[in-house]
């Protein structure tokens, strides 16, 4: 703690000496050469304020003796002008600290409400609002906001806005404003603004105690900007604003009492105790130095404490591109094929590590060749490195457009590297080095042809390094072209993209076989390749916190990742053939269950409808200004319209039905427009990782609740007020039930429920949700059948009617399977509970009613209505006194019924196969329990979710 205080004290002393020295020079200059009638001094060495219009530093400082012994350092500067219009005034300034590369434009906007005598103050930094509040004009509070200066602890430097000299006469407001920059809560620099006068008679600007300069044309809406008057500058530091009295001066305050500190030198003792510590370890003292002090030292960027500053102490220090080339550690020409293969494979491993959620600075850009690719003389490596920039930009563009990533999925920050291109020659920016996409592809194609010619000169196919290198260049080119077609998809790109992805799969087989031909990383080394990589090169670009440990993925796993990624992208392209929304939604859900990576999930979002309707809907809903996508909205409305027609075929959407009234069609169109955002977000939720989907589904249910009320109104209007055909309500209920079921089942997949909670989860699914879903499918089939009969009746009776197939027969059968599975689990769990085989929590530490309410809270606003806990207890009370043997037999019957239904499916997929295995196994287990197997055992059963993510296999231990 003492060391931390000492560091802060030394930092304060350095700032004090610097500012006082420069200020003393300015005072001497003023006294020697400036006239006493000049009301300001020119201070250019330590002013941080500047005019945002002219970009010129504000140098005019108060001429009065502003420093006295015992004061904190306070430099009052004359501020720039304010701009007033009507009852609103805006005062702006810029704050620039060149030593820290810090620049912020700060504006304070005051809105005066004369009727209620209220002031609304809005403070913005770089057009981002950091504070907004409304308060009484006669007693405004001061407001301070921290300034995020790099390399300094948060909150050490802040800015305060204070209003003073306030008076209201006949609903006319007079107010003055100061802006203070403080260090450690002490004002160091003060910027004075004009006093503002706002009222019905016009607006004006003045100095405290000066004459107001009124602009009578402000009421017409014009902007007034006045020049400061040559009166005395008001200083909130030297004049008492709290009592509005100028009688008290700073001389009467006297000097502060001197404080003596009992400093103890612990340097030698400290170094004695740290002799046994290794690099990166911390010395912990429970009384003097704990976690809080350690974190404070890290925020201060102390090299002795900050784990992120190991680059300052490591031996040898990290070397950049130029130094590595100069000392011969980095070859830019005459590279062997094995060396280039090693660099390419290591770079691909870094890209995979980036796609798994790590930063670019700690993964891909540890490759020194990527820092200056245009300085590389080897054409093959140069072309690859330039393409990596393009590839990274295409990946980030795809993921950013889809907007389905979280912080743990992907870090889009570029850390100053220009993704897409790197037009630098050394440290000089050269725009002529910019390359187009086609030129980059052409460079790779040229190198591929050249390498293939060299490969033909070698007979040994297994050890042909030139062929292996050509395969890697070919894979890079085709993968980049495929991503371009996905992100910039048009109607003619389907066949080309599939052909490119197929080519990537074939090429990856060669790459996997030849992975051993490149230079390999040293054992137990953090370097992914012996040459060209420096893990600590970008350590200074990381934020001043504990850095995330980055372990570059092994090459074999990384190459396998790329192979699986290409397979997933090929599978994702199949979404383009899904014309029905129900089919597309099922495809999205199945794709999500495969736990795909962020890139393939994002590509699926863009392939279904580009631009993404979910992103457009979110932008419109949140009020963010951006390019309007009316075509995307219109296309998605048509998709939803076809979905409703295929599901229930309402007469109002049928072109062959009797003409409906204009109000009915208008109701329907408005309803479809309202459905765009919830259903687009539903598709977007399927693109998020499985852990995040549950929370997003809960929020989505609130939006569906509003749609259900509107659907009832649309059905009433479309049916002429009779309400006999609830077509839109049935369609919406079907999707709501699917979302509710997905929400509850995700808790099982994420292991959020305790075993003693399983019984009411499976009961809710068995008794209500799956039952309602089967009913909704049956009702939809009936409504669609009625519409088909009306259409058939209009045709010629001579035509023989064909037997209509049930469009949702398989889905209805699977719902019955799920319902029976849940019923089997529920009865088995109740029997386990009655026999004491499931450990129950102590009642004084746990409340089942609270747990139940928490689990089903998101379902309380929807139809079907939520079953409350007391209703659950009343409905399940009879089973609490049932014989466990009878419950086991009931569970057997449910699993047997599920098995029978599954065996009727002629073309079973993996889902059906897994469910069939679970149903058969659980049937046997419950049969044994019903026969008395392990009747007296109190060992709890195990629930194995390895076969199916939602329905476990019951194991007896």
């Amino acid at each position: 703690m003492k060391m931390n205080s000492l560091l802060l004290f030394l930092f304060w002393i350095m700032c004090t000496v610097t500012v006082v020295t420069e200020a003393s020079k300015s005072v001497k200059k003023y006294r020697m050469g400036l006239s006493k009638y000049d009301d300001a001094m020119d201070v250019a060495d330590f002013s941080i304020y500047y005019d945002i219009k002219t970009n010129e530093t504000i140098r005019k400082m108060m001429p009065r003796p502003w420093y006295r012994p015992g004061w904190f350092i306070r430099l009052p500067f004359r501020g720039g002008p304010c701009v007033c219009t009507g009852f609103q005034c805006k005062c702006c300034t810029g704050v620039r600290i060149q030593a820290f590369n810090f620049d912020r434009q700060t504006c304070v906007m005051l809105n005066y409400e004369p009727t209620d005598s209220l002031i609304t103050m809005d403070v913005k930094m770089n057009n981002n609002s950091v504070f907004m509040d409304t308060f009484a004009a006669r007693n405004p509070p001061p407001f301070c906001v921290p300034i995020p200066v790099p390399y300094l602890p948060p909150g050490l430097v802040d800015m305060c806005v204070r209003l003073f000299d306030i008076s209201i006469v006949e609903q006319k407001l007079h107010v003055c404003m100061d802006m203070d920059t403080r260090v450690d809560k002490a004002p160091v620099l003060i910027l004075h603004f004009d006093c503002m006068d706002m009222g019905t008679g016009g607006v004006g600007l003045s100095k405290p105690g000066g004459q107001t300069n009124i602009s009578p044309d402000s009421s017409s809406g014009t902007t007034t900007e006045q020049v400061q008057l040559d009166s005395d500058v008001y200083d909130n530091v030297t004049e008492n604003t709290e009592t509005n009295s100028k009688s008290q001066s700073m001389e009467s305050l006297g000097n502060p009492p001197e404080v003596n500190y009992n400093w103890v030198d612990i340097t030698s003792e400290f170094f004695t105790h740290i002799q046994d510590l290794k690099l990166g370890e911390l010395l912990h003292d429970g009384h003097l130095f704990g976690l809080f002090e350690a974190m404070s030292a890290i925020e201060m960027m102390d090299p002795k404490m900050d784990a992120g500053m190991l680059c300052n102490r490591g031996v040898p220090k990290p070397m950049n591109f130029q130094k590595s080339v100069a000392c011969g550690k980095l070859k830019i020409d005459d590279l062997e094929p094995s060396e280039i293969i090693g660099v390419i494979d290591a770079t691909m491993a870094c890209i995979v590590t980036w796609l798994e959620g790590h930063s670019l600075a700690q993964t891909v850009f540890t490759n020194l060749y990527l820092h200056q690719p245009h300085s590389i003389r080897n054409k093959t490596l140069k072309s690859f490195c330039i393409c990596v920039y393009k590839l990274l930009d295409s990946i980030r563009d795809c993921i950013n457009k889809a907007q389905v990533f979280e912080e743990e999925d992907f870090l889009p920050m570029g850390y100053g590297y220009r993704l897409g291109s790197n037009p630098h020659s050394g440290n000089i920016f050269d725009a002529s080095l910019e390359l187009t996409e086609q030129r980059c592809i052409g460079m790779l194609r040229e190198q591929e042809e050249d390498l293939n010619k060299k490969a033909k000169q070698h007979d040994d196919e297994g050890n042909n390094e030139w062929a292996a290198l050509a395969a890697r260049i070919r894979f890079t080119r085709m993968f980049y072209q495929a991503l371009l077609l996905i992100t910039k998809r048009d109607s003619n790109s389907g066949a080309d993209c599939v052909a490119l992805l197929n080519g990537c799969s074939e090429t990856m087989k060669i790459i996997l076989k030849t992975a051993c031909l490149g230079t390999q990383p040293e054992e137990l080394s953090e370097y992914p390749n012996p040459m060209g990589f420096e893990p600590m090169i970008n350590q200074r670009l990381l934020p001043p916190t504990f850095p995330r440990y980055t372990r570059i993925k092994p090459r074999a796993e990384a190459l396998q990742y790329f192979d699986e990624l290409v397979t997933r992208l090929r599978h994702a392209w199949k979404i383009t053939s899904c014309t029905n929304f129900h089919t597309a939604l099922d495809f999205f859900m199945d794709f999500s269950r495969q736990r795909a990576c962020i890139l393939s999930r994002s590509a699926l979002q863009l392939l279904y409808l580009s631009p993404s309707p979910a992103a457009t809907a979110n932008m419109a809903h949140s009020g963010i200004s951006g390019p309007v996508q009316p075509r995307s909205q219109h296309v998605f409305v048509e998709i939803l319209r076809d979905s409703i027609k295929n599901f229930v075929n309402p007469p109002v959407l049928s072109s062959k039905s009797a003409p409906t009234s204009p109000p009915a069609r208008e109701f329907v169109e408005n309803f479809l427009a309202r459905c765009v955002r919830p259903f687009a977000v539903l598709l977007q939720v399927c693109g998020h990782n499985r852990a995040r989907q549950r929370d997003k589904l809960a929020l989505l249910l609130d939006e569906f609740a509003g749609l259900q009320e509107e659907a009832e109104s649309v059905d009433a209007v479309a049916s002429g007020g009779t309400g006999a055909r609830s077509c839109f309500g049935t369609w919406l209920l079907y999707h709501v039930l699917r979302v509710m079921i997905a929400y509850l089942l995700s808790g099982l997949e994420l292991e959020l429920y305790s075993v003693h909670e399983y019984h009411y989860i499976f009961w809710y699914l068995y008794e209500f949700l799956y039952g309602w879903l089967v009913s909704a499918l049956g009702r939809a089939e009936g409504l669609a059948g009625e519409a088909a009969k009306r259409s058939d009746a209009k045709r010629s009776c001579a035509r023989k009617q064909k037997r209509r197939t049930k469009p949702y027969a398989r889905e209805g059968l699977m719902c019955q399977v799920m319902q029976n599975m849940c019923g089997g689990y529920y009865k088995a769990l109740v029997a386990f509970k009655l026999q004491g085989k499931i450990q129950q929590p102590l009642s004084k530490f746990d409340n089942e009613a609270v747990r139940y309410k928490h689990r089903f809270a998101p379902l309380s606003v929807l139809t079907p209505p939520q079953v409350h806990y007391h209703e659950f207890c009343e409905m399940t009370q009879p089973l609490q006194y049932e014989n466990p043997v009878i419950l086991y037999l009931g569970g057997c019957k449910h699993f047997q019924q599920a098995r029978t239904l599954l065996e009727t499916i002629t073309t079973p997929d993996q889902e059906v196969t897994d469910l069939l295995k679970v149903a058969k196994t659980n049937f046997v287990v419950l049969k044994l329990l019903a026969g008395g197997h392990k009747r007296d055992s109190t060992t709890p059963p195990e629930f194995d979710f390895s076969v199916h993510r939602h329905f476990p296999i019951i194991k007896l231990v």
Side-chain angles (χ1 to χ4, degrees):
M1 185 66 185
K2 291 181 178 180
M3 292 181 63
N4 192 17
S5 302
L6 179 60
L7 291 172
L8 185 61
F9 179 75
L10 292 176
F11 171 79
W12 179 256
I13 291 297
M14 293 174 61
C15 295
T16 303
V17 173
T18 302
V19 174
V20 169
T21 303
E22 298 296 341
S24 300
K25 295 179 182 178
S26 300
V27 171
K28 291 179 180 179
K29 178 180 179 181
Y30 164 73
R31 290 177 176 175
M32 294 175 60
L34 298 180
S35 171
K36 66 178 181 179
Y37 298 106
D38 186 10
D39 65 345
M41 294 184 297
D42 187 358
V43 181
D45 296 329
F46 47 84
S47 175
I48 65 173
Y49 302 111
Y50 67 91
D51 192 323
I52 62 175
K53 291 185 177 180
T54 63
N55 201 29
E56 294 181 356
T57 303
I58 298 176
R59 303 180 178 181
K60 300 300 182 181
M61 195 176 66
M62 289 177 52
R64 67 179 63 188
W66 43 265
Y67 178 77
R68 297 178 186 276
W71 289 15
F72 286 108
I73 306 172
R74 287 176 269 211
L75 306 180
F77 286 89
R78 170 181 296 180
C82 299
V83 177
C84 295
T85 304
F87 295 102
Q88 182 185 55
C89 285
K90 181 177 181 181
C91 304
C92 296
T93 187
V95 179
R96 182 186 295 122
I97 307 177
Q98 295 182 353
F100 296 106
N101 195 21
F102 175 83
D103 195 337
R104 290 287 191 279
Q105 294 183 358
T106 305
C107 291
V108 180
M109 288 176 286
L110 298 178
N111 286 278
Y112 174 54
E113 177 57 47
T115 306
D116 300 325
S117 296
L118 297 176
I119 295 179
T120 299
M121 182 166 65
D122 186 9
V123 182
K124 293 186 176 182
M125 281 191 176
N126 285 359
N127 295 325
N128 295 323
S129 181
V130 296
F131 174 79
M132 176 179 285
D133 196 6
T134 302
F135 38 78
R138 299 182 182 275
N139 188 25
F143 166 74
C144 297
V145 58
I147 301 178
V149 180
Y151 310 115
L152 294 183
L156 180 64
V157 181
D158 60 3
M159 180 197 70
C160 296
V161 177
R162 285 183 285 204
L163 305 180
F164 61 92
D165 198 10
I166 302 174
S167 62
I168 302 176
V169 180
E170 295 181 357
Q171 293 187 342
K172 180 179 180 181
L173 173 68
H174 174 80
V175 59
C176 302
M177 184 175 70
D178 274 357
M179 186 180 294
D180 298 358
T181 301
R182 308 189 308 174
V183 176
D184 198 19
K185 310 303 180 184
V188 176
L189 304 175
I190 302 175
L191 186 63
H192 300 290
F193 286 95
D194 299 308
C195 294
M196 294 155 277
D197 298 272
M198 295 177 280
T200 55
V203 296
L205 303 172
S206 64
K207 285 291 187 297
Q211 182 179 2
T212 303
N213 192 351
I214 300 294
S215 176
D217 61 343
S218 64
S219 58
S220 62
T222 59
T223 302
T224 304
E225 183 174 341
Q226 300 292 342
V227 181
Q228 292 183 338
L229 302 178
D230 291 333
S231 61
D232 186 23
V233 180
Y234 179 79
D235 183 11
N236 188 31
V237 176
T238 58
E239 302 187 35
N240 193 344
T241 62
E242 297 179 356
T243 59
N244 283 330
S245 173
K246 297 185 180 180
S247 59
Q248 183 180 6
S249 63
M250 292 303 297
E251 289 86 347
S252 63
L253 296 179
N255 296 335
E258 184 178 357
V259 179
N260 295 322
Y261 296 96
N262 185 21
W263 296 103
V264 178
D265 188 0
I266 64 171
T267 304
S268 59
E269 183 180 358
F270 175 78
F271 281 105
T272 302
H273 285 82
I274 66 172
Q275 291 179 357
D276 298 331
L277 296 180
K278 298 180 180 179
L279 190 63
E281 293 182 342
L282 298 178
L283 177 65
H284 177 72
D285 188 323
H287 300 285
L288 299 177
F289 194 84
L291 180 61
F292 177 79
E293 289 77 15
M295 293 301 297
S296 299
I298 288 171
E299 291 175 354
M300 292 174 62
M301 297 296 289
D302 187 344
K304 295 185 295 296
M305 300 303 304
D306 190 353
M309 296 297 291
L310 293 178
C311 56
N312 290 343
R313 302 165 57 191
V315 179
K317 293 184 178 181
M319 300 178 64
N320 59 17
F321 179 87
Q322 296 93 335
K323 292 181 179 179
S324 299
V325 173
C327 69
K329 288 187 176 182
L330 196 67
K331 296 169 62 176
I332 59 176
D333 199 1
D334 298 329
L335 281 87
E336 297 295 330
S338 59
E339 294 175 330
I340 303 177
I341 292 174
V343 172
I344 292 177
D345 288 352
T347 304
M348 294 176 70
C350 291
I351 293 176
V352 171
T353 310
W354 174 52
L355 288 175
E356 290 190 339
H358 293 276
S359 66
L360 273 173
Q362 293 178 289
T363 55
V364 183
F365 286 110
T366 60
N367 184 353
L368 296 179
Y369 284 110
L370 294 176
H371 291 204
Q372 293 184 17
H374 291 278
S375 301
I376 304 173
R377 297 175 185 173
N378 184 281
K379 295 182 179 180
T380 302
L381 185 58
K382 177 180 180 180
S383 301
F384 172 79
C385 291
I386 292 175
C387 184
V388 167
Y389 273 87
K390 297 285 187 180
L391 182 62
L392 296 178
D393 186 57
S394 182
I395 292 174
R396 189 174 65 169
D397 183 43
C398 178
I399 297 176
N400 282 333
K401 284 182 178 179
Q403 287 296 307
V404 292
F405 68 91
E406 304 291 341
E407 182 183 3
E408 66 272 17
D409 294 322
F410 182 72
L411 293 178
M413 185 180 299
Y415 295 94
Y417 291 98
R418 294 173 57 91
L419 300 187
S421 63
N422 185 11
H424 286 80
S425 179
N427 295 324
I428 303 174
F429 180 85
D430 188 355
S432 62
L433 298 178
E434 289 274 6
L435 295 179
T436 62
E437 299 169 353
Q438 296 303 321
R439 176 55 187 151
C440 180
I441 295 172
M443 289 174 58
L444 292 176
R445 198 184 299 275
E446 292 173 3
Q447 293 304 311
E448 181 184 344
E449 294 175 356
D450 185 51
L451 293 172
N452 285 328
K453 293 179 182 179
K454 295 180 180 180
K456 292 179 181 179
Q457 301 174 4
H458 294 76
D459 299 331
D460 189 359
E461 296 182 359
N463 294 320
N464 195 336
E465 295 178 348
W466 295 109
L469 185 55
R472 283 158 173 78
I473 297 298
R474 181 164 62 253
F475 176 84
T476 305
R477 174 183 60 82
M478 290 190 296
F479 187 72
Y480 174 53
Q481 287 180 281
L483 281 182
L484 288 179
L485 293 178
I486 290 174
T487 55
K488 302 176 181 180
R489 172 178 168 245
D490 55 47
S491 58
N492 300 322
S493 61
D496 295 337
C497 186
V498 172
L500 288 168
L501 292 174
N502 289 333
C504 288
S505 295
E506 293 299 323
T507 308
M508 183 52 66
K509 296 178 181 178
I510 302 176
I511 296 176
L512 291 172
K513 292 179 181 179
T514 58
C516 59
L517 298 182
T519 53
Q520 301 297 316
E522 299 177 0
E523 189 176 357
L524 302 179
S525 173
E526 295 185 358
Y527 289 75
N529 195 61
M531 182 179 67
F533 289 81
E534 180 56 66
M536 303 292 290
I537 189 64
N538 294 317
Q539 202 72 6
R540 288 185 175 275
L541 299 180
L542 302 178
T545 58
F546 278 118
R548 297 174 62 176
Y549 176 71
T550 301
R551 175 180 175 269
I552 304 299
K553 206 171 186 67
R555 292 189 189 179
E557 298 179 16
L559 296 177
Q560 188 65 36
Y561 181 99
F562 266 105
D563 189 30
E564 296 172 357
L565 172 60
V566 171
T567 303
R568 287 192 294 264
L569 291 176
R570 283 210 319 267
H571 180 60
W573 192 271
K574 296 180 181 178
I575 190 64
T576 57
S577 61
C578 294
T579 57
N580 184 278
F581 178 76
H582 290 116
T583 308
L585 182 59
D586 291 338
F587 188 94
F588 271 83
M589 290 185 172
D590 291 338
F591 196 87
S592 175
R593 295 189 190 106
Q594 299 173 7
R595 297 182 178 273
C597 66
I598 178 60
L599 180 56
S600 55
R601 299 200 311 262
S602 302
L604 178 63
Q605 296 284 326
L606 299 184
L607 288 173
Y608 181 60
L609 188 61
S610 183
S612 173
T616 306
N618 285 334
M619 184 180 295
H621 180 76
S622 58
I624 301 175
S625 60
V628 183
Q629 304 289 352
R631 180 181 176 275
S632 177
Q633 294 278 96
H634 174 72
V635 171
F636 201 68
V637 167
E638 294 302 319
I639 291 176
L640 295 179
R641 190 195 309 275
D642 293 339
S643 171
I644 300 174
K645 290 175 66 176
N646 294 330
F647 192 70
V648 289
N649 197 12
V652 71
L653 294 181
S654 177
S655 59
K656 298 180 181 179
S657 62
T660 55
S661 60
R665 290 196 175 275
E666 184 178 356
F667 262 76
V668 172
E669 294 301 324
N670 292 336
F671 173 74
L672 291 175
R674 282 280 311 279
C675 288
V676 168
R677 171 180 158 76
F679 281 93
V681 173
L682 177 58
L683 293 178
Q684 190 183 48
V685 168
C686 296
H688 286 270
N689 64 65
R690 301 292 288 176
R692 294 280 187 170
Q693 288 184 19
R694 179 179 170 84
D695 294 336
K696 296 182 182 300
L697 288 175
L699 298 175
L700 188 60
L701 287 172
D702 291 335
E703 297 193 39
F704 276 116
L707 281 180
Q708 282 187 320
E709 297 179 0
E710 188 170 344
E712 295 177 1
S713 303
V714 174
D715 282 326
V717 174
S719 59
T722 61
R725 293 175 54 82
S726 56
C727 297
F728 294 94
T730 302
W731 174 75
L732 194 59
L733 176 63
Y734 164 77
H735 288 287
V736 167
L737 288 168
R738 292 190 63 177
V739 174
M740 295 167 74
I741 291 172
Y743 174 78
L744 291 181
L745 291 180
S746 64
L748 293 168
E749 183 179 358
L750 299 174
E751 301 180 7
L752 300 180
Y753 308 138
S754 300
V755 176
H756 61 83
E757 296 181 278
Y758 285 174
H759 69 286
Y760 52 73
I761 299 295
F762 284 114
W763 174 84
Y764 208 104
L765 292 166
Y766 163 61
E767 288 286 354
F768 288 94
L769 296 185
Y770 277 118
W772 277 74
L773 187 57
V774 172
S775 176
L777 287 171
R779 184 174 180 82
E781 187 176 344
L783 292 172
E786 292 177 11
K789 289 180 182 179
R790 289 194 303 270
S791 177
D792 292 340
K794 296 180 181 180
R795 299 175 184 174
S796 174
C797 296
R799 177 183 296 180
K800 184 178 179 179
Q801 299 295 330
K802 295 183 179 180
R803 183 178 179 182
R804 298 183 59 85
T805 59
K806 297 182 178 180
Y808 306 108
R810 182 186 174 100
E811 186 174 2
L813 185 144
M814 290 299 297
C815 289
Q816 294 179 35
V817 170
M818 302 295 186
Q819 187 178 17
N820 279 283
M821 296 282 287
C822 292
Y825 285 114
Y826 165 63
K827 293 182 179 180
L829 287 163
V830 173
F832 288 145
K833 183 179 178 182
L834 293 176
Q835 289 187 336
K837 294 181 181 294
I838 294 181
Q839 187 176 2
Q840 300 294 323
L842 297 177
S843 58
K844 60 181 179 180
F845 298 117
D846 188 88
N847 190 321
E848 188 177 76
V850 175
R851 281 180 173 267
Y852 182 96
K853 182 179 179 180
H854 174 70
R855 298 305 184 193
F856 301 106
L859 281 57
S860 59
V861 296
L862 294 154
T863 301
Q866 180 188 4
V867 181
H868 296 284
Y869 181 72
H870 67 277
E871 298 173 327
F872 161 73
C873 293
E874 293 176 359
M875 299 175 69
T876 59
Q877 188 69 20
L879 267 69
Q880 303 300 323
Y881 303 98
E882 191 63 78
N883 188 342
V885 176
I886 297 178
L887 291 174
Y888 286 136
L889 292 175
C892 282
K893 188 179 295 185
H894 281 298
F895 285 119
Q896 178 62 27
Q897 182 65 23
R899 172 185 175 180
T900 304
L901 292 172
L902 289 170
E903 288 176 345
T904 61
I905 299 176
T906 56
T907 56
D909 54 9
Q910 188 61 41
E911 178 83 2
V912 173
T913 304
D914 293 342
L915 287 173
L916 191 58
K917 181 179 179 180
V918 172
K920 289 180 179 180
T921 307
N922 288 342
F923 170 79
V924 175
V925 172
L926 294 188
K927 196 71 172 178
L928 292 173
L929 290 171
H933 181 67
K934 291 191 175 184
R935 178 180 301 173
D936 299 329
S937 175
T938 57
T939 304
E942 293 183 357
F943 296 88
D944 182 12
F945 288 90
S946 61
V947 177
H948 197 278
R949 61 194 167 277
H950 300 146
F951 301 110
I953 291 178
I954 302 174
K955 292 183 177 180
L956 302 178
V957 182

